[in-house]
Amino acid sequence: MKRIKSCIGLFLLMNMAASAKVILPSVIDHNMVLQQKTDAALWGKARPAAKIKITTSWNGKSYTVQAGSDSLWRVSVSTPAAGGPFNITFDDGEKLVLKNILIGEVWVCSGQSNMSMPIKGFRNQPIEGSNDVLINAKNPKIRLFQVNRQLSDKAQFDANVRRWEEADVESVNEMSAVGYLFARIIQERLDVPVGIIHTSWGGTRIEAWMSASSLQQFPSVKVPAPGDGTKLNQNSPTVLYNAMINPIAGFSIKGALWYQGEANRKNAQPYAQQMLSMVSDWRKHWNCGEWPFYYVQIAPYKYDNDNHSPYLREAQLQALKIIPNSAMAVTADIGKEQSIHPPDKMTVAKRLAYCALARDYGISGLPYQGPVYKSMKVNKDTIDLTFDNAQNGLYAGGKELTLFEVAGEDKVFHPATAQITGAGIRVRSEQVKNPVAVRYAFKDWFTGELFNTEGLPASSFRTDNW
């Protein structure tokens, strides 16, 4: 019955949109959340040269904008502190009223299958604790918006979507687990409305999520020309940006969450620069500041013994140094040997939320990053390593550290004994009398064993560049 009512409601909304002269993109709709305390962008189409009067109920203020010869118009409206529900009225001679709008915090979530993975899981691949999540799912202060899978060689005005919905069992069950669980943590902690815009597609490369302009510095990437007859798929460069990012770009947000990389693991060398180019370009098109970009490092998994994934994780680690206002959630401890989709999405969401709460929401002193290799010093047959993000030291749960390796000038790595010291980690191997390089967990499959005392894991890393 609920699904029938939803279909009837959607039919009525579509009829209303068709009869109104003002046409809005799907992301601007009933039930949406607008970013608080900002100049929030609204846009759409109308008759060429038509004047549109837009009135916001939270302050009774009206804005007038004129459509261009291409029928497009855009305006920014001032939003208050979190609250609602409110209405927005669009009037070009015929009124269109959007209802049940909240003001709060808005985040975009994108990437490939580990971001797509819904609370209900994939077939034969569950999400841990999903039923416990669902029994507490109903929350009108959390709103969910999903962009459906689609691709295009041209930038699109609108997208095929599952429209803004209040969080309940049905909508949460279908929503990105990482996106929803992040929203729940933020909403509970801040006690404000939270909106999640989810746009992802499993098995996709980063190049598909990048615009043509952001790919110009990568000449080896062939961008399909619109209408040139090129056979497209979801991994063709630009096609997901055009169809699944461009229709929402500009909707004012607090920040973005990104969980992708597995599909690029066999070509990791340009990945950090590609991430930088993508983020810079997205921020330009969103035009609402240098918003935070928080991403998930890919988890360990037993691939086909190709050992490419540590280089991709290394590129993700390197991206931290070059992408402004970014942070990374490490998942070295939650991978599954036989599943590329770790079921523990709550830990992923928490680590992303730590980044947001510490960096954006004023919870000073909250640790949010795991240990990061800083420096090494060789003393005869021993190497001492130091780390950032380990102010209170390192921790291995009382277990032996088994994932360190050292090599000499011959570049052959051997298992090393490692122990936590007052300054960091000391490693040595009986087989390497004159060590010059160290690697930690530099392989496809492992279970992370090195943490800071706050329980945040270290990324795999190497001190060499061989």
Side-chain angles (χ1 to χ4, degrees):
M1 180 62 71
K2 181 174 180 181
R3 191 175 298 277
I4 293 173
K5 289 181 179 178
S6 297
C7 292
I8 293 172
L10 179 59
F11 176 76
L12 293 173
L13 285 174
M14 291 173 65
N15 276 352
M16 181 174 68
S19 64
K21 295 176 184 176
V22 173
I23 298 174
L24 301 172
S26 299
V27 73
I28 300 173
D29 202 358
H30 304 283
N31 305 318
M32 67 180 172
V33 180
L34 292 178
Q35 180 61 37
Q36 66 172 322
K37 300 179 185 177
T38 192
D39 293 322
L42 301 174
W43 68 93
K45 295 181 178 179
R47 290 172 289 107
K51 289 185 177 179
I52 303 98
K53 182 180 179 182
I54 300 163
T55 304
T56 52
S57 73
W58 53 82
N59 56 8
K61 187 174 180 179
S62 292
Y63 306 78
T64 301
V65 62
Q66 187 169 6
S69 59
D70 58 359
S71 298
L72 297 174
W73 57 266
R74 179 178 292 266
V75 70
S76 295
V77 300
S78 177
T79 58
F86 300 110
N87 297 337
I88 301 178
T89 301
F90 300 83
D91 188 352
D92 71 339
E94 295 183 23
K95 290 186 178 180
L96 170 62
V97 182
L98 299 186
K99 300 179 180 180
N100 195 28
I101 295 165
L102 298 182
I103 308 294
E105 296 297 295
V106 183
W107 289 80
V108 167
C109 305
S110 189
Q112 57 180 110
S113 57
N114 271 301
M115 182 62 85
S116 297
M117 194 174 189
I119 288 292
K120 68 180 183 182
F122 294 140
R123 186 166 184 82
N124 300 326
Q125 298 180 72
I127 293 290
E128 285 183 6
S130 58
N131 256 24
D132 291 336
V133 171
L134 292 177
I135 62 175
N136 295 303
K138 188 171 181 59
N139 186 343
K141 287 189 176 182
I142 295 178
R143 305 289 174 87
L144 308 173
F145 180 88
Q146 301 215 51
V147 180
N148 295 326
R149 294 178 178 182
Q150 54 217 285
L151 54 88
S152 176
D153 57 7
K154 299 177 184 176
Q156 299 297 301
F157 169 78
D158 204 2
N160 177 23
V161 304
R162 180 169 176 154
R163 292 177 178 266
W164 284 102
E165 300 174 281
E166 295 184 0
D168 60 17
V169 172
E170 185 177 4
S171 63
V172 168
N173 208 27
E174 300 292 337
M175 186 59 175
S176 159
V178 170
Y180 169 72
L181 293 170
F182 173 88
R184 193 177 76 175
I185 295 167
I186 298 299
Q187 198 282 317
E188 290 176 353
R189 181 62 184 80
L190 302 182
D191 193 25
V192 300
V194 174
I196 291 293
I197 299 172
H198 170 230
T199 177
S200 65
W201 191 328
T204 53
R205 295 174 59 87
I206 192 173
E207 295 91 338
W209 296 100
M210 299 171 68
S211 72
S213 60
S214 69
L215 284 167
Q216 287 179 355
Q217 63 181 289
F218 306 100
S220 64
V221 179
K222 184 176 177 168
V223 176
D228 70 353
T230 301
K231 187 175 181 180
L232 304 176
N233 61 43
Q234 67 270 27
N235 277 313
S236 300
T238 76
V239 297
L240 302 186
Y241 174 85
N242 290 334
M244 298 179 67
I245 295 296
N246 193 70
I248 60 174
F251 191 90
S252 298
I253 60 175
K254 183 67 173 184
L257 308 177
W258 177 251
Y259 196 166
Q260 189 276 338
E262 294 91 346
N264 285 85
R265 76 184 191 282
K266 292 185 179 180
N267 185 29
Q269 191 276 328
Y271 189 80
Q273 288 296 327
Q274 287 175 328
M275 285 183 71
L276 171 62
S277 184
M278 183 190 77
V279 174
S280 299
D281 184 69
W282 282 18
R283 285 170 173 165
K284 177 182 175 182
H285 285 92
W286 250 273
N287 193 31
C288 58
E290 197 174 78
W291 35 253
F293 179 76
Y294 302 144
Y295 59 99
V296 184
Q297 189 182 54
I298 63 172
Y301 167 66
K302 190 174 183 179
Y303 294 96
D304 297 327
N305 296 315
D306 55 26
N307 211 44
H308 291 298
S309 65
Y311 296 95
L312 194 284
R313 288 194 298 272
E314 179 179 60
Q316 292 176 313
L317 186 61
Q318 291 168 345
L320 272 178
K321 300 177 181 178
I322 60 176
I323 300 176
N325 199 12
S326 66
M328 182 176 73
V330 177
T331 57
D333 56 327
I334 66 166
K336 292 294 182 182
E337 185 176 5
Q338 301 298 329
S339 177
I340 201 170
H341 303 119
D344 181 7
K345 292 296 190 281
M346 175 58 83
T347 293
V348 179
K350 282 181 178 180
R351 289 173 183 169
L352 291 169
Y354 296 155
C355 297
L357 292 170
R359 294 168 58 93
D360 306 301
Y361 295 124
I363 303 183
S364 60
L366 175 66
Y368 62 91
Q369 295 278 249
V372 173
Y373 163 72
K374 180 180 181 181
S375 67
M376 63 174 277
K377 183 178 180 180
V378 180
N379 183 17
K380 296 182 180 180
D381 64 347
T382 300
I383 294 181
D384 287 309
L385 306 170
T386 62
F387 296 81
D388 289 323
N389 306 326
Q391 292 85 347
N392 199 37
L394 300 167
Y395 183 65
K399 299 178 181 178
E400 182 182 359
L401 294 170
T402 63
L403 296 174
F404 282 90
E405 300 173 288
V406 297
E409 294 288 353
D410 61 0
K411 301 182 181 180
V412 177
F413 282 88
H414 299 272
T417 58
Q419 63 181 135
I420 296 171
T421 68
I425 297 285
R426 179 166 292 163
V427 296
R428 66 184 300 274
S429 172
E430 292 287 350
Q431 297 168 282
V432 183
K433 298 305 180 185
N434 297 294
V436 298
V438 178
R439 292 184 176 184
Y440 165 72
F442 211 74
K443 56 185 71 176
D444 281 338
W445 167 245
F446 62 93
T447 299
E449 58 190 18
L450 181 64
F451 302 80
N452 57 22
T453 55
E454 292 79 22
L456 298 170
S459 165
S460 56
F461 69 90
R462 57 176 177 156
T463 66
D464 64 276
N465 60 1
W466 300 333

